[in-house]
Amino acid sequence: MKNLIRIIIIAIWVPVISSCNKGFDQLNINPNNPTELDASFLFTSAQFGTHGATMETEPTIVQQFVNPFSGITSAFNFNQLNQTYTSQNWNAEYTGTNSGATSSSGPVQLLVQILSQLKGNAARTNLYNEARIWKAYQFMMLVDSYGNVPYSEAGQAYLSNVLTPKYDNQAMIYTDLINEVTAATAALDPTKDIVKADVFYGGNIAQWKRLGYSLLLRLGMRYSKFEPAKAQAIVQAAVAGGVMTSNADNCYLKYNTTYVNPVSQTITAIANTYYLAAPFVDQLKNSGDPRLKFISGKYANPLSAPTSVPDTISANQFGLPIGYSNATLPTAPGFRGSNGSGFNYSQVNYSVFGSLTAPQFFITHAQTQLLLAEAAFRGWINGSTPDVYYANGIRAAMDQWTTYNPSAIIPLATQNAFINNPVNAYTTANALNLINTQYWVASWGNGTEAFANFRRSGFPALSPNTMPGQNITGGFVRRFVYPTLELSANSTNYQAAVADNGGPDNMDTRVFWDK
């Protein structure tokens, strides 16, 4: 009931803070928007507005998902630059718009406004510091996607009349994010204000502290191949602070039949064009993963998949091959033929993962345990051994499915059989591959994180998409390009950012930690 009330609150207040001005000043904040709404309502809106990657973006790059049909949806499966998709994160975070959707304030704007409104207000110190933590999450996603981005001047149009903000150096942004998360998490105080409008934890300070330190762990692990000594120091600080301890600490959004999951809504619309990718299905199938039945399904008619009962038998699941269009797919080895209005390959299970009421996860206990497994393998932390963290991460990821559906239970004996299967069993020689492949699976539905960790770790060991006519030269997309509007509306700052990123504004140039 509490979650339903929060959803109703946001459904009421999001239109209030919306705007119909689609000009460039959206990058910061529309001056016509209300700016003195209670900060707790702004915070709720910022949480609900947080970007969740659509299936044709990062999940396609990391070969979990594929749309083989060319046309307006042509993007990463075709190794093509398509601003409809590369701008999604930027637009959602800065302006609250996405692919031409109605304009509103994005999380960056709302969180900057909250911090300005509450700075120095001792009576609302917890809301202030929770906003700092969640703002850091937004900018971590933005830096991981684009490199240099507007940071210090973002959200300052109304506050300081900055309509063309400078882009800050990406490494310096990360340094500030680490400082912000560290300070804000430490400052949370259970004796002070409790933010009931918080849709993640209902204002529970202990859980917000564990979220903050788990985010700090994630930030630290990004440095693992770029600056290992720094990574170790940050990871140790996060562990000392206290990271997530169970799935009860998972940070995610809940949806219902009125306020539906936007990612599920998108793939439901033209279901016959959407399929699971062969590398992802093969990993689940060949490892005997019991999660496959909750993720994958076969349907007699792909177009009617969202309203049909799926065949979830493991042996019947086949992912669509990478690197083919609908025209060339019949030439793929082992082509499985057409099926109704689409192809005879696995789609998402629309009764579980693809449900309109499916949750959207951002930071989880499972991901945290798997990062700890890698940190322990590298000798950066004490406590449990890497194999224990690894097993705990897998169990947490499997238990997480009851959040989608209470009946999606994977018994402990089944979990242990999977963990002890020689295909999956932890070994020192293969540790990084095993840990990060499981991170890839645990991040299914959390595409921005799956993409970032794939670049950071190099695992799973995927083969490049060889679709001809590609806009990339290095095998995989390494970053998203800036929105085209930036070239004209903020040209000077855009050009400076491109130069400081160390390469042209294309999908080959790497972000600073991806070296």
Side-chain angles (χ1 to χ4, degrees), residues 306-493:
T307 56
S308 303
V309 177
D311 170 4
T312 60
I313 296 173
S314 178
N316 295 342
Q317 307 307 312
F318 295 90
L320 196 142
I322 294 292
Y324 295 91
S325 68
N326 59 305
T328 64
L329 188 58
T331 68
F335 174 60
R336 298 189 54 77
S338 298
N339 181 24
S341 59
F343 292 105
N344 187 26
Y345 291 92
S346 297
Q347 299 171 268
V348 301
N349 182 337
Y350 282 97
S351 63
V352 185
F353 173 80
S355 167
L356 292 176
T357 60
Q360 172 69 53
F361 288 92
F362 300 118
I363 301 176
T364 68
H365 174 50
Q367 292 170 324
T368 300
Q369 287 292 300
L370 291 167
L371 291 178
L372 292 175
E374 181 176 338
F377 168 78
R378 294 179 180 277
W380 293 348
I381 58 173
N382 298 316
S384 297
T385 54
D387 60 313
V388 173
Y389 284 124
Y390 172 71
N392 288 343
I394 293 173
R395 292 190 189 99
M398 291 186 176
D399 286 340
Q400 189 176 310
W401 281 94
T402 58
T403 311
Y404 288 85
N405 188 316
S407 65
I409 299 171
I410 300 175
L412 181 59
T414 303
Q415 296 177 13
N416 289 338
F418 175 84
I419 292 166
N420 295 323
N421 183 328
V423 175
N424 311 309
Y426 180 88
T427 65
T428 301
N430 198 30
L432 292 179
N433 181 18
L434 288 166
I435 292 167
N436 288 290
T437 296
Q438 286 304 313
Y439 198 95
W440 179 59
V441 176
S443 298
W444 164 245
N446 187 189
T448 51
E449 183 59 18
F451 179 44
N453 198 69
F454 169 68
R455 288 175 289 162
R456 179 193 70 82
S457 70
F459 295 108
L462 303 172
S463 298
N465 177 353
T466 58
M467 181 77 77
Q470 60 186 9
N471 292 142
I472 58 173
T473 59
F476 290 93
V477 173
R478 308 310 295 195
R479 68 176 283 274
F480 290 175
V481 302
Y482 295 121
T484 52
L485 182 60
E486 290 293 290
L487 280 71
S488 58
N490 197 13
S491 179
T492 299
N493 291 318

Side-chain angles (χ1 to χ4, degrees), residues 254-261 264 352 354-359 403-404:
K254 307 173 183 68
Y255 298 95
N256 67 10
T257 54
T258 300
Y259 194 83
V260 300
N261 183 314
S264 297
V352 185
S355 167
L356 292 176
T357 60
T403 311
Y404 288 85

